[in-house]
Amino acid sequence: MASSNRVMNIIFNVLNIILSLIIVGCGINHFFWSGALFTGAYVLGIFIIFAGVVAFIIELKPMAFLIMNFGFFRYWIGRGLFYICISTLCVYSNFYSLVFTIPLAVTGIIYIVLQFVKIPLPKPILGDGDSYEEYKPLSSSK
């Protein structure tokens, strides 16, 4: 049973890394091929690239300040809504945008369903056994 759980963790880790690279590719595509000659297209492209890099880093080894600021990555529903929101930002009048949008949206919907099935999140690849649950928000001392 433990080996099947380990295999599921590896599958989800690889899937999340691939999705973060797809997000970076979407940002690069939006940055160069949006067809718009105004600053907003470039800012949105940089934002999408930043989101992909953060998702990649959190999947490899979650750092406390990233998990505290991007706390929604600790839950399936948070990741699902993140992927759906980023997929909506990747939609524009370019056929290649569908290559980025469809896998992100479908995976986001699957992750939202996984929240209700009660499957635990996979542990990070380089986390030395850490889980996302260890990074709790700072409590205010009174």
Side-chain angles (χ1 to χ4, degrees):
M1 186 70 167
S3 67
S4 67
N5 193 17
R6 175 120 173 102
V7 170
M8 289 271 296
N9 283 344
I10 291 171
I11 289 172
F12 281 122
N13 284 333
V14 170
L15 178 65
N16 287 328
I17 287 173
I18 290 170
L19 288 174
S20 65
L21 294 176
I22 287 174
I23 292 171
V24 170
C26 171
I28 292 170
N29 189 24
H30 195 281
F31 190 79
F32 289 111
W33 300 104
S34 64
L37 296 175
F38 61 96
T39 310
Y42 300 119
V43 171
L44 184 59
I46 291 170
F47 172 77
I48 294 172
I49 292 170
F50 173 75
V53 169
V54 167
F56 185 81
I57 291 171
I58 286 178
E59 192 57 38
L60 287 180
K61 181 168 178 59
M63 295 174 224
F65 71 94
L66 283 178
I67 293 297
M68 287 181 186
N69 292 319
F70 298 94
F72 53 87
F73 274 103
R74 292 186 295 180
Y75 306 102
W76 286 114
I77 196 164
R79 288 179 183 227
L81 291 173
F82 171 75
Y83 288 139
I84 289 173
C85 289
I86 293 296
S87 72
T88 59
L89 293 177
C90 292
V91 177
Y92 46 91
S93 62
N94 185 347
F95 173 74
Y96 298 112
S97 69
L98 294 178
V99 173
F100 304 114
T101 302
I102 292 173
L104 288 172
V106 168
T107 306
I109 292 169
I110 291 171
Y111 280 5
I112 290 172
V113 170
L114 287 177
Q115 176 72 30
F116 300 107
V117 178
K118 303 291 184 192
I119 295 177
L121 275 173
K123 294 186 178 186
I125 293 174
L126 302 175
D128 298 328
D130 294 345
S131 69
Y132 297 106
E133 302 304 321
E134 295 176 9
Y135 300 100
K136 299 292 184 194
L138 296 174
S139 61
S140 61
S141 58
K142 293 183 180 180

